[in-house]
Amino acid sequence: MLTLDEARVIINEVDKEMAKLFEKRMSAVEHVVHYKIEKGLPILDAKREAEVIEKNLSLLENEKLKPYFKEFLEKAMEVSRNYQQSIVDENK
């Protein structure tokens, strides 16, 4: 079992990686929203979001974490939609 300090070091390392991945994800989101603007598509594609969630849930090995990962993904998608909306609003 890890000590508290060891666990916190791991969490800090993961958070650092997640910050980089978040920026990478949001950069891709910018490309997606510009495509949606160009094609006149809505920001929300519920079918696509459901597919992404299902696909990503299947990647987890630890079954007890699935509901939490699902919530994490849903929140990430909500943040992405909010960011997309801010870009749409800027382009009005």
Side-chain angles (χ1 to χ4, degrees), residues 15-54:
D15 287 348
K16 184 177 178 181
E17 290 178 45
M18 286 176 53
K20 289 177 186 174
L21 291 172
F22 178 77
E23 287 180 329
K24 184 176 180 179
R25 187 180 203 287
M26 297 308 273
S27 176
V29 166
E30 286 183 44
H31 293 286
V32 168
V33 74
H34 288 297
Y35 177 87
K36 289 178 178 180
I37 291 168
E38 183 181 303
K39 301 295 182 184
L41 299 171
I43 290 172
L44 176 61
D45 183 345
K47 182 180 178 203
R48 167 81 177 139
E49 286 193 11
E51 290 169 355
V52 169
I53 289 170
E54 197 61 37

Side-chain angles (χ1 to χ4, degrees), residues 19-87:
K20 289 177 186 174
L21 291 172
F22 178 77
E23 287 180 329
K24 184 176 180 179
R25 187 180 203 287
M26 297 308 273
S27 176
V29 166
E30 286 183 44
H31 293 286
V32 168
V33 74
H34 288 297
Y35 177 87
K36 289 178 178 180
I37 291 168
E38 183 181 303
K39 301 295 182 184
L41 299 171
I43 290 172
L44 176 61
D45 183 345
K47 182 180 178 203
R48 167 81 177 139
E49 286 193 11
E51 290 169 355
V52 169
I53 289 170
E54 197 61 37
K55 178 187 73 161
N56 286 316
L57 285 176
S58 71
L59 301 173
L60 281 186
E61 295 177 14
N62 187 335
E63 286 291 321
K64 73 178 183 180
L65 294 178
K66 283 193 176 187
Y68 304 102
F69 190 49
K70 182 178 185 219
E71 181 180 1
F72 176 83
L73 293 170
E74 289 168 345
K75 296 289 185 191
M77 290 181 182
E78 179 183 352
V79 167
S80 295
R81 286 193 309 273
N82 291 342
Y83 185 50
Q84 289 179 57
Q85 187 62 55
S86 74
I87 292 170

